Amino acid sequence: MKKIATGNKAVAEAVKQVKPDVIAAYPITPQTEIVEQIAEFVSGGELKSRYIPVESEHSAMAACIGAGITGARTFTATSSHGLLYMHEMTNWAAGARLPVVMATVNRSIGPGWNIWAEHTDALQERDTGWLQVYVSTVQEAYDTTLMAFRIAEHNDVLLPVMVNLDGFLLSHIMQPLDTVEPGDFVPPLHLPHAIDVKTPAGYGGLTGPDRHFKIRWEIERSMRDSVKVIEKTQDEFSRRFGRRYGFTEDYRCEDADVIVVAMGTLGKEAEVAIDQLRNEGIKAGSMRLRWLRPFPDLDLKGKEVVVIDRDYSFGRGGILATEIMAQTKEEVFSVIAGIGGQEVTFEDVADFVRQRRRGTEFWFGVTVNV
Amino acid sequence: MINNDRSAIALSRSPIRSLSLQELSIIAEIPREEYVLKCTSACAGCSDSLALRYVLKAAGPDTVLVIPACCTSVIQGIYPNTAFNVPVYNIAFGAAAACASGMSNAFRAAGKKTNVIVYAGDGGTLDIGIQAMSGAFERGTDFLYICYDNEAYGNTGMQRSGGTPLGAKTTTTPGGKTDVKKDIDAIIAAHAPPYQATAAAAYPQDLFKKVQKALSFRGPSFIHVLAPCPPGWRYSTEKSVEMGKLAVKSGMWVLYEREYGKLTMGAPSRAAMKKPLPLEEYLAPQGRFKGIDPKTVEILRQQIAKTFAKLAAEEAAP
């Protein structure tokens, strides 16, 4: 069904269709609209989920964990400080092998209070064992949320999935949305280690140095196995509903000399810049990274690489740039742009490419000379 | 009918006190099934596991325990073994009530009546877990929250908590605590749950009855259990039950229950209110109160009188 929706509403729409058993909700800008919309669905009887209006994000994730271990499908959403506040519990959810799906509406971190888009919140969750996917359009937010449940709950994965969308730039932007009838695309959840009072077991108790590393390794094994599950799910989605997604969205990359790598809406903005650069005779392409975890194999051999980070790791560099430098021998031009909602247009992105200098870092609006 | 002769005889030999007929009939009701199995890693004389034994006997097999970081995280044994014969879900320190809140909602959504019981220490309840607990009570979560209170962070080697009484020495209050014990029961009462009670591991029949009662209510209920700790309180291990009884008889611990806000004091506390045991008899055997300043003892004594007066007034109120 075709309609117009915001990124937040698109996520809520997908959640309604997969019918989680339990939803934990706590407000934070710019995510709030998601849990508000779901509350509307629940109170109007369109969605028969248990809606727990928790008193904090830490409790939101703890409630998803407690519900999840009974075999229930769970969902929550957060942003920024909310995500950081639940950090202990995001680790727990992954370690407990619970397929929680969470929408993170990416927002900067204080102080000072800044409610605008930035990826540093989700990137601080990079090492928790969550799968992370970054979307760039309202349609993609909806489609990816549907896929997230199927991927998380797949028995080869059983890890939580975080669907990331840029605060305001996507969460509050109206775009066309074509909803589908998911049917059995998201099959019922069968959690193999769900609590059963008839066969009592201990969960998450003491593990010694002779065993703990094995449990951690199993997380990594599932993370690796998730690559195939993601591929198959994206293929199946395309077969059923006609929209194709990959680990990256590549735009005019085949014959490109220089490739712009970015995540979220900036990656979409880059496509416009690419067209402009091509008109000038610069053979540029855009590789918008969708999945950060598991991190895909990127084909950047022999290309010049411009990475745009809407995030930073102090004392090291742009987090995405660092990830890419760890994978490719190519020298990267690292651009830090869009922090705290700093405006970055396709013109700016085109400028980054025009003025690129291998092996250097450029803070947009700060560095005077590239 | 008394049909549990062996335990009746064993208990009637107890040096503490002889049992009334009414209490004997409760012993007969206590199931023989054990849910705290042998080979726990509890310390000798641990009242946490003693209390849990009766909690689970009262709750029965259709029960899940939610346990934050506390002594019970250790007592249950090392993975892949577990000493508890009900499912146990371990969760981080500040998250027990929130986790239980999700669990209870999921069970109820699936049409299951499974008891969800948080079993948490005083640190996980009075301190780090208070926000999650307050939220879960305010939302009317259908669960039972039990705080077993050994009045310090026992699992990490006895550091002061909000539950440590005034004057008690811990590793972080080597000169004795200078603040009074946080009144968590008053905080819970402010949430107006259908049922709340205090209990003590030293009075297992009373605890058993209170757990059964708590689980008969829909919505949140709370039981605050005094759990004397031999290594933490520094008394010899065979005296845990005696310590609990001395706490009640001296008035340092008051047994009562509140049903829909209506308070009823327990018989042992009613007796203690009329004629409390000298406080020194409770303090003297405990190393944590060694060398306590007489002025501090006087403050504790005044506190006891104040608490009794407050509870008696509440009980007498129409």
Side-chain angles (χ1 to χ4, degrees):
Chain A
M1 195 169 73
K2 285 198 193 324
K3 50 177 97 174
I4 299 282
T6 61
N8 280 341
K9 290 232 163 106
V11 170
E13 196 67 38
V15 169
K16 182 179 84 175
Q17 288 180 305
V18 299
K19 303 180 181 66
D21 301 293
V22 173
I23 293 161
Y26 191 79
I28 182 167
T29 305
Q31 167 280 125
T32 310
E33 197 187 12
I34 297 178
V35 295
E36 284 176 341
Q37 183 62 55
I38 292 173
E40 290 278 336
F41 290 148
V42 172
S43 95
E46 285 177 79
L47 176 59
K48 306 244 179 295
S49 300
R50 288 271 179 149
Y51 186 92
I52 313 181
V54 286
E55 82 298 330
S56 75
E57 290 90 353
H58 193 274
S59 287
M61 191 48 62
C64 286
I65 291 166
I69 198 60
T70 72
R73 177 172 290 162
T74 57
F75 174 81
T76 190
T78 193
S79 287
S80 182
H81 286 263
L83 182 59
L84 303 191
Y85 192 45
M86 68 166 68
H87 177 64
E88 181 186 33
M89 292 291 101
T90 56
N91 278 274
W92 206 279
R97 308 307 303 270
L98 296 173
V100 182
V101 172
M102 172 162 67
T104 298
V105 181
N106 304 116
R107 174 190 137 179
S108 79
I109 292 158
W113 287 123
N114 174 298
I115 57 171
W116 309 102
E118 191 181 321
H119 293 154
T120 314
D121 55 355
L123 288 169
Q124 291 195 19
E125 298 298 312
R126 189 187 59 171
D127 304 335
T128 54
W130 281 64
L131 279 67
Q132 283 201 10
V133 56
Y134 291 75
V135 302
S136 65
T137 66
V138 168
Q139 186 67 55
E140 190 186 359
Y142 167 83
D143 294 346
T144 305
T145 305
L146 284 182
M147 287 190 274
F149 283 95
R150 181 174 158 135
I151 293 163
E153 294 172 3
H154 193 286
N155 274 12
D156 290 348
V157 180
L158 293 176
L159 286 171
V161 176
M162 187 188 297
V163 180
N164 291 278
L165 51 157
D166 287 339
F168 295 104
L169 297 173
L170 183 53
S171 64
H172 287 67
I173 289 296
M174 303 278 266
Q175 284 175 354
L177 171 67
D178 189 5
T179 59
V180 299
E181 281 305 325
D184 62 355
F185 177 73
V186 184
L189 166 62
H190 294 293
L191 189 76
H193 56 296
I195 281 182
D196 178 4
V197 290
K198 289 189 186 73
T199 52
Y203 294 83
L206 297 180
T207 53
D210 58 334
R211 206 178 280 273
H212 196 69
F213 65 91
K214 293 178 188 165
I215 298 170
R216 304 308 284 178
W217 158 247
E218 279 171 18
I219 296 175
E220 172 55 14
R221 191 174 58 192
S222 297
M223 190 58 93
R224 293 180 190 185
D225 289 347
S226 75
V227 172
K228 276 211 164 60
V229 176
I230 292 167
E231 278 168 359
K232 278 190 183 159
T233 301
Q234 292 181 151
D235 288 350
E236 177 68 11
F237 189 89
S238 144
R239 210 170 54 77
R240 288 197 191 204
F241 311 118
R243 288 184 291 273
R244 173 158 290 282
Y245 296 95
F247 275 87
T248 58
E249 185 182 34
D250 298 346
Y251 184 73
R252 304 182 82 168
C253 282
E254 310 79 37
D255 63 336
D257 299 325
V258 54
I259 289 183
V260 177
V261 185
M263 299 196 296
T265 52
L266 255 175
K268 211 70 189 161
E269 192 79 9
E271 293 178 5
V272 187
I274 297 307
D275 289 341
Q276 206 171 54
L277 291 163
R278 288 265 172 178
N279 289 341
E280 297 168 18
I282 299 172
K283 283 166 91 176
S286 161
M287 189 179 281
R288 181 175 62 82
L289 192 76
R290 265 171 49 79
W291 292 89
L292 182 93
R293 287 291 181 272
F295 198 84
D297 286 327
L298 302 179
D299 183 16
L300 296 168
K301 212 174 166 202
K303 313 275 188 189
E304 277 193 77
V305 184
V306 176
V307 181
I308 308 175
D309 268 288
R310 196 188 267 285
D311 56 79
Y312 203 72
S313 172
F314 299 107
R316 183 64 186 92
I319 296 169
L320 182 57
T322 314
E323 293 269 339
I324 287 166
M325 283 190 265
Q327 207 197 46
T328 176
K329 287 195 179 74
E330 308 305 328
E331 280 189 303
V332 165
F333 177 55
S334 165
V335 179
I336 314 303
I339 302 280
Q342 180 191 31
E343 186 164 329
V344 186
T345 65
F346 62 87
E347 290 284 2
D348 299 321
V349 175
D351 271 348
F352 302 153
V353 174
R354 289 184 198 110
Q355 300 172 38
R356 66 191 179 279
R357 281 174 68 184
R358 287 171 183 241
T360 65
E361 181 183 287
F362 174 71
W363 271 75
F364 182 47
V366 176
T367 311
V368 182
N369 296 309
V370 175
Chain B
M1 279 301 290
I2 301 162
N3 58 12
N4 197 353
D5 289 338
R6 262 192 318 164
S7 18
I9 291 162
L11 279 158
S12 67
R13 285 183 193 143
S14 154
I16 307 290
R17 58 204 281 269
S18 59
L19 292 157
S20 70
L21 272 175
Q22 195 195 352
E23 280 169 309
L24 285 173
S25 72
I26 295 161
I27 292 172
E29 281 170 27
I30 295 178
R32 284 166 179 273
E33 283 78 17
E34 296 293 349
Y35 301 97
V36 176
L37 305 176
K38 289 174 182 173
C39 301
T40 68
S41 37
C43 307
C46 173
S47 12
D48 160 355
S49 37
L50 173 63
L52 184 59
R53 183 174 173 219
Y54 288 91
V55 166
L56 290 178
K57 278 172 180 278
D62 192 11
T63 298
V64 179
L65 282 182
V66 176
I67 298 180
C70 60
C71 288
T72 313
S73 352
V74 177
I75 290 170
Q76 64 190 267
I78 298 176
Y79 176 86
N81 301 312
T82 174
F84 300 161
N85 208 10
V86 295
V88 179
Y89 198 74
N90 291 281
I91 192 81
F93 219 164
C99 176
S101 175
M103 190 178 285
S104 166
N105 270 284
F107 277 137
R108 301 302 174 260
K112 291 180 183 169
K113 289 181 177 162
T114 306
N115 301 314
V116 177
I117 301 180
V118 171
Y119 197 67
D122 47 299
T125 304
L126 280 65
D127 294 347
I128 194 170
I130 194 167
Q131 172 183 311
M133 182 178 68
S134 174
F137 273 76
E138 184 266 333
R139 293 191 299 272
T141 307
D142 188 20
F143 80 141
L144 166 58
Y145 193 112
I146 297 176
C147 170
Y148 64 95
D149 189 351
N150 63 359
E151 304 195 316
Y153 289 87
N155 196 17
T156 44
M158 299 315 275
Q159 295 75 36
R160 134 210 225 285
S161 79
T164 305
L166 178 73
K169 290 190 177 75
T170 66
T171 59
T172 50
T173 54
K177 195 187 177 198
T178 52
D179 308 294
V180 298
K181 185 179 176 82
K182 189 190 281 187
D183 189 355
I184 192 69
D185 303 300
I187 294 169
I188 291 291
H191 293 74
Y195 183 80
Q196 82 174 98
T198 59
Y203 296 83
Q205 302 99 309
D206 179 58
L207 172 62
F208 178 86
K209 264 201 310 184
K210 283 170 173 168
V211 172
Q212 279 198 326
K213 205 172 196 180
L215 291 171
S216 72
F217 287 88
R218 266 183 71 178
S221 46
F222 182 80
I223 303 178
H224 190 185
V225 183
L226 181 70
C229 167
W233 295 14
R234 298 180 228 163
Y235 61 83
S236 60
T237 54
E238 77 281 8
K239 285 190 174 160
S240 279
V241 170
E242 196 182 322
M243 266 317 133
K245 300 223 169 192
L246 287 172
V248 170
K249 287 177 179 176
S250 64
M252 275 292 274
W253 191 259
V254 186
L255 297 174
Y256 62 85
E257 57 187 341
R258 235 186 232 112
E259 220 177 305
Y260 292 116
K262 178 71 192 150
L263 184 128
T264 312
M265 214 183 284
S269 287
R270 207 180 293 279
M273 181 166 63
K274 280 186 192 138
K275 199 181 171 218
L277 211 67
L279 185 54
E280 287 76 7
E281 288 191 34
Y282 172 65
L283 304 178
Q286 301 181 48
R288 63 173 177 159
F289 289 116
K290 201 177 168 189
I292 188 172
D293 172 11
K295 278 187 206 154
T296 310
V297 177
E298 193 42 44
I299 296 170
L300 287 172
R301 215 189 315 273
Q302 285 169 9
Q303 254 197 338
I304 290 170
K306 224 190 246 177
T307 305
F308 271 135
K310 204 173 95 183
L311 293 171
E314 186 185 333
E315 192 177 28

